[in-house]
Amino acid sequence: MDCIFCQIVAGAVPSKKAYEDEQIYAFADIDPRAPVHLLLVPKKHIPSLAQTTEADASLLGHLQATAARLAQEHGLDKGYRTVMNTGPEGGQTVSHLHLHLLGGRQMHWPPG
Ligand code: 5GP
Ligand code: ZN
């Protein structure tokens, strides 16, 4: 198993846990780009959004709904951003699907 996020889910690589259930795991990004920067990942290895199908719709919805709840728990009442980078041109650097939750500062548009 050479996937860093699979190793984090398995507990083989330490992480600062924010939330966990049967399907997903959420933890602090090691290189935070905002005062709150969490990553939410499915426990099963899916390389990216490009490999998902309609069969993954409830898992993907669960990731977003959990991000909304974690944002509330972290006091992001003025707003926040969820981002899923996909593939090289999407800026994805870790090939295990993940949803970024960023907040605690003003976000800008368009992203880089
Ligand atoms: P991507 O660029 O693929 O959208 O996001 C990957 C994210 O994973 C980056 O924000 C990076 O800081 C984070 N990351 C990479 N390796 C680790 C790690 O070992 N632990 C944690 N907590 N985050 C990591
Ligand atoms: Zn993985």
Side-chain angles (χ1 to χ4, degrees):
M1 179 170 65
D2 60 1
C3 170
I4 185 71
F5 288 176
C6 280
Q7 290 175 24
I8 284 174
V9 167
V13 168
S15 65
K16 193 173 164 204
K17 177 164 116 176
Y19 175 73
E20 180 175 18
D21 63 27
E22 319 78 55
Q23 286 188 290
I24 68 177
Y25 186 75
F27 55 103
D29 196 293
I30 203 169
D31 182 18
R33 301 308 176 104
V36 175
H37 188 173
L38 303 180
L39 300 171
L40 294 86
V41 306
K43 286 189 168 176
K44 74 168 175 178
H45 182 85
I46 302 172
S48 84
L49 188 65
Q51 282 76 40
T52 63
T53 68
E54 197 60 37
D56 301 302
S58 74
L59 173 63
L60 292 166
H62 184 46
L63 285 169
Q64 286 283 5
T66 303
R69 196 172 49 70
L70 289 173
Q72 195 173 26
E73 281 180 21
H74 285 77
L76 303 180
D77 49 298
K78 289 190 286 192
Y80 53 88
R81 183 169 289 173
T82 55
V83 177
M84 194 175 282
N85 297 324
T86 301
E89 285 204 3
Q92 184 177 7
T93 59
V94 176
S95 294
H96 180 130
L97 187 149
H98 50 281
L99 182 65
H100 294 260
L101 169 62
L102 297 140
R105 66 166 170 82
Q106 180 62 51
M107 298 296 158
H108 303 286
W109 195 261

